[in-house]
Amino acid sequence: MKYAALKGMEDIIAPDIEVWQAVEAAARDIFGRYGFQEMRAPVLESTDIFIRGIGQQTDIVEKEMYTFTDKGGRSVTLRPEGTASVVRCFVEKNLHTLPPPQKLYYIGQMYRYERPQKGRFRQFYQIGAEAFGVAAPSMDAEIIMMLSNILQAAGLSGLNFEINSIGCAACRPQYRQALLDFFGGMINEYCPDCQRRYEANPLRILDCKVPRCIELRQGSPAVKDYLCADCRTHFEGLLAILDSFGVSYTLNPNLVRGLDYYTKTTFEVTSEHLGAQKAVAAGGRYDRLVEEFGGPATPAIGFAIGMERIVTLLKESQTLGPKTPKVFVATLGSAAEMEGMKIVEALRAAGVWAEQSYGSASLKSQLRKADRTGAEFALIIGENELNSGMAQWKDMKKGGQGEVAINSVAGFFSGGIRTDE
Ligand code: ATP
Ligand code: MG
């Protein structure tokens, strides 16, 4: 009997894990500079939170959720995205009573029952951020620039920022009607999903990836022509800030996003090097969601980065090797073995990765082991070395060798002492 991880769920192990850790460290660093605090929400929530937060008529809620009944008979769901949980927490913990803006970020697994393929998994990681309490476009600009800085700090370049505004409760109905009028006569020719979207949320037809639908919707009304004065001013304000900071972006009038809760600004970051699954991050403003969750009216905006997709891009541009210890301590005889263990511990205490051979073996086999671990140096201690107080070191890469006092090994390998002189 051999066990395997579930389809669409992957183990992340060395050497890849180092790319993940580096990206997470870069993100945490940038979040800190922008005043975002980490939050860790449960991965399992009451199902209604996602239905309410994401919207009944979305791909996620209609067909992608891991929903089941727990032993207490409650319907629970593994989170498919982060925003609904963050908003639930924001309202539950009364974070709106704290001085705005409240800025939160998270890093963690999401679950969607999708068809696994390149760049698409059933368990995947997102790094996300949400800022509550500011309606002004300067917050939209800050969020977009922070996202750009995170991606840059992670080592990515050549990404395209696509931006749109999808209006608000005041102007969306007119735009919706314009779309209904446009699609109306031809709707039977669209895919079955789009035919359903026509009734439920015609904006989402603009998001359909089916080639025939893309063709049919050429020339559909552009949302920018329907924005109310408030939405228009907001959008123009945002673009003006981005322009003055030299942030490059593309206006994409079809960028409507798959989630129902967005208002005004929506954005997506894409890469041309990823094939079909080219979105590496996406986000937008959601000024009504906190109210929907029973909190006071609170404007908010956020984004989520798809970790697997940026790790894929980063792995293309760097070669990953295994990590190797700095020192391998080889010993001969039980007295030396004890001394060797002390040295290994002292090296570790001094911040150096040190390994030992665990149990007795010939010097030859210990050095072979040192070589296999990729250690930079071998340190050899036998009877003679114990008596003289001097251990032998060997540079495993460059071939040099020499002596070092047993009681100063930790300083020798951790400090500035040069071994190549
Ligand atoms: P897509 O159009 O690719 O399905 P989406 O609109 O469903 O994306 P969001 O909900 O906006 O995606 O999630 C933000 C980011 O999370 C995406 O841009 C993507 O990088 C990543 N992501 C979403 N779904 C998956 C998945 N199943 N596997 C891996 N990454 C994903
Ligand atoms: Mg999706």
Side-chain angles (χ1 to χ4, degrees):
M1 178 71 188
K2 270 201 176 168
Y3 291 107
L6 292 173
K7 199 173 161 198
M9 306 208 178
E10 306 227 312
D11 300 308
I12 304 149
I13 56 174
D16 286 19
I17 193 72
E18 293 192 29
V19 184
W20 288 73
Q21 289 169 339
V23 170
E24 288 168 10
R28 288 181 199 281
D29 173 38
I30 302 292
F31 281 136
R33 302 184 199 195
Y34 282 82
F36 281 69
Q37 303 260 21
E38 183 176 5
M39 76 157 291
R40 300 188 189 187
V43 293
L44 196 63
E45 298 261 15
S46 177
T47 302
D48 357 318
I49 283 169
F50 301 114
I51 296 179
R52 192 65 184 263
I54 300 168
Q56 184 73 60
Q57 260 84 41
T58 56
D59 285 354
I60 294 179
V61 172
E62 276 180 346
K63 48 193 183 200
E64 296 173 359
M65 294 212 296
Y66 275 88
T67 298
F68 58 94
T69 308
D70 75 3
K71 286 190 166 44
R74 306 169 193 88
S75 177
V76 293
T77 296
L78 282 168
R79 65 178 180 198
E81 55 101 55
T83 304
S85 300
V86 178
V87 173
R88 192 261 311 131
C89 168
F90 182 84
V91 174
E92 183 182 346
K93 296 285 186 313
N94 291 312
L95 300 187
H96 49 83
T97 60
L98 301 170
Q102 284 298 307
K103 299 171 169 181
L104 303 166
Y105 81 87
Y106 56 84
I107 299 179
Q109 292 98 321
M110 307 295 154
Y111 299 85
R112 295 185 195 175
Y113 199 81
E114 301 199 67
R115 191 169 68 77
Q117 53 196 290
K118 188 170 178 281
R120 199 174 286 292
F121 303 89
R122 289 181 174 170
Q123 175 185 271
F124 59 99
Y125 282 73
Q126 285 185 338
I127 298 182
E130 319 285 353
F132 296 92
V134 179
S138 43
M139 182 56 89
D140 306 47
E142 185 175 287
I143 281 277
I144 289 169
M145 291 194 282
M146 178 173 75
L147 172 58
S148 165
N149 284 330
I150 289 173
L151 296 169
Q152 210 176 333
L156 292 166
S157 55
L159 299 171
N160 182 27
F161 276 72
E162 297 180 22
I163 300 185
N164 192 24
S165 172
I166 58 168
C168 65
C171 52
R172 185 96 50 83
Q174 285 81 284
Y175 181 52
R176 187 176 184 277
Q177 189 55 51
L179 287 176
L180 289 177
D181 295 343
F182 177 85
F183 297 131
M186 303 277 279
I187 194 63
N188 295 334
E189 302 200 22
Y190 285 73
C191 73
D193 277 343
C194 281
Q195 297 189 23
R196 271 187 306 116
R197 289 169 185 142
Y198 180 79
E199 302 291 336
N201 186 354
L203 259 76
R204 304 223 29 251
I205 298 178
L206 300 173
D207 200 23
C208 182
K209 312 279 191 309
V210 175
R212 175 78 181 132
C213 297
I214 295 175
E215 211 175 288
L216 283 167
R217 69 172 185 242
Q218 292 296 322
S220 58
V223 62
K224 69 170 170 36
D225 299 329
Y226 291 83
L227 295 181
C228 63
D230 180 35
C231 287
R232 191 183 302 271
T233 311
H234 183 94
F235 195 45
E236 284 167 0
L238 166 61
L239 299 183
I241 299 171
L242 295 179
D243 288 340
S244 75
F245 278 88
V247 178
S248 52
Y249 57 84
T250 316
L251 295 178
N252 177 355
N254 287 339
L255 188 66
V256 292
R257 311 279 304 110
L259 288 64
D260 276 353
Y261 54 62
Y262 287 104
T263 49
K264 292 187 174 150
T265 313
T266 57
F267 53 92
E268 200 163 275
V269 186
T270 57
S271 163
E272 290 315 313
H273 303 288
L274 284 173
Q277 270 61 249
K278 65 191 176 87
V280 298
R285 185 167 269 287
Y286 50 93
D287 289 345
R288 285 172 36 232
L289 195 58
V290 173
E291 247 175 310
E292 292 258 335
F293 271 70
T298 309
I301 179 166
F303 64 75
I305 301 173
M307 274 292 274
E308 284 76 5
R309 295 185 193 175
I310 63 172
V311 168
T312 301
L313 288 172
L314 289 169
K315 277 168 60 185
E316 277 169 13
S317 61
Q318 64 193 87
T319 41
L320 290 169
K323 273 199 156 186
T324 53
K326 176 126 182 185
V327 186
F328 188 100
V329 178
T331 56
L332 281 172
S334 55
E337 194 182 330
M338 198 57 200
E339 189 59 39
M341 244 186 117
K342 281 190 201 153
I343 291 175
V344 166
E345 282 302 303
L347 280 165
R348 290 168 179 168
V352 175
W353 180 6
E355 289 294 338
Q356 56 181 326
S357 71
Y358 304 108
S360 54
S362 70
L363 184 60
K364 198 171 155 204
S365 98
Q366 289 185 58
L367 288 180
R368 205 165 40 229
K369 198 165 164 187
D371 200 42
R372 266 212 309 273
T373 65
E376 204 178 333
F377 296 97
L379 190 76
I380 301 154
I381 305 165
E383 202 103 327
N384 293 343
E385 285 75 15
L386 279 185
N387 290 334
S388 67
M390 299 296 283
Q392 311 287 324
W393 61 259
K394 201 168 168 297
D395 186 325
M396 304 293 283
K397 310 273 165 183
K398 299 186 203 127
Q401 56 188 32
E403 281 191 340
V404 51
I406 287 179
N407 58 19
S408 61
V409 165
F412 183 74
F413 288 109
S414 68
I417 299 171
R418 297 194 45 193
T419 52
D420 56 356
E421 278 173 352

